[in-house]
Amino acid sequence: ARQIVASNSNEEMMPRSAFWAPITAKRFLDLQEKGGADDFFSSDWTDEELQERLGHVGQKYESTGLHLLAAFSGSDEYVPKNVDTQLLTVRFCNAMNVHCVDRQVASSLYLPTANHNLSQSDGDATTFVEKVKELLKRVTP
């Protein structure tokens, strides 16, 4: 992917063996490379790096009434097995809330048996929808 992008072929497709879905070389690097344009949720960031990447969420939106639910699937098939996803969920929320003064913007929902799209374990999708409903009740009249 780096070679493809270096040769100014950003929109060239990656081989099927590189990723589970069709993806351009640039998009692949944006997602997969540490520091890529869309690398917000990697497990290899330090707490300080996560705060730099996500701290703006609480800083910018605390005063607006924004509530964010950071939901993470404990059995997400796209996350390496060695990643402590429960701890990562907490780290993401801590990073988003680092600049909050009066209230926390981000709260976490960890679904230990859920896969990426909540389609395999009984109750995970229902739990997610219920938590979103609770969140919406707090922000709507």
Side-chain angles (χ1 to χ4, degrees):
R2 284 187 202 107
Q3 289 175 340
I4 294 170
V5 170
S7 68
N8 290 325
S9 299
N10 292 352
E11 299 305 312
E12 186 67 32
M13 299 301 290
M14 292 295 294
R16 182 73 170 154
S17 61
F19 200 66
W20 59 271
I23 190 167
T24 65
K26 176 152 183 3
R27 180 74 177 138
F28 181 84
L29 290 178
D30 287 347
L31 289 170
Q32 298 295 324
E33 200 166 51
K34 185 171 182 179
D38 290 320
D39 182 20
F40 290 100
F41 306 109
S42 291
S43 60
D44 55 355
W45 290 104
T46 66
D47 288 341
E48 292 75 24
E49 289 170 324
L50 280 175
Q51 290 170 12
E52 288 174 23
R53 296 290 271 192
L54 301 173
H56 69 281
V57 174
Q59 188 174 30
K60 185 173 183 178
Y61 295 109
E62 179 182 16
S63 63
T64 67
L66 173 84
H67 294 271
L68 184 142
L69 180 64
F72 213 107
S73 303
S75 295
D76 191 319
E77 60 273 26
Y78 302 112
V79 177
K81 300 287 184 218
N82 65 321
V83 173
D84 183 340
T85 51
Q86 187 168 16
L87 176 61
L88 191 57
T89 308
V90 171
R91 291 180 63 223
F92 289 156
C93 287
N94 288 344
M96 287 183 264
N97 290 324
V98 71
H99 299 296
C100 294
V101 177
D102 295 323
R103 69 172 187 84
Q104 304 288 286
V105 168
S107 59
S108 66
L109 171 61
Y110 180 71
L111 300 164
T113 61
N115 66 327
H116 188 76
N117 65 3
L118 310 178
S119 65
Q120 290 182 345
S121 297
D122 290 339
D124 289 330
T126 301
T127 299
F128 175 76
V129 169
E130 290 302 316
K131 289 293 182 180
V132 170
K133 283 170 47 178
E134 287 174 23
L135 184 110
L136 290 173
K137 284 180 186 175
R138 293 191 342 223
V139 297
T140 55

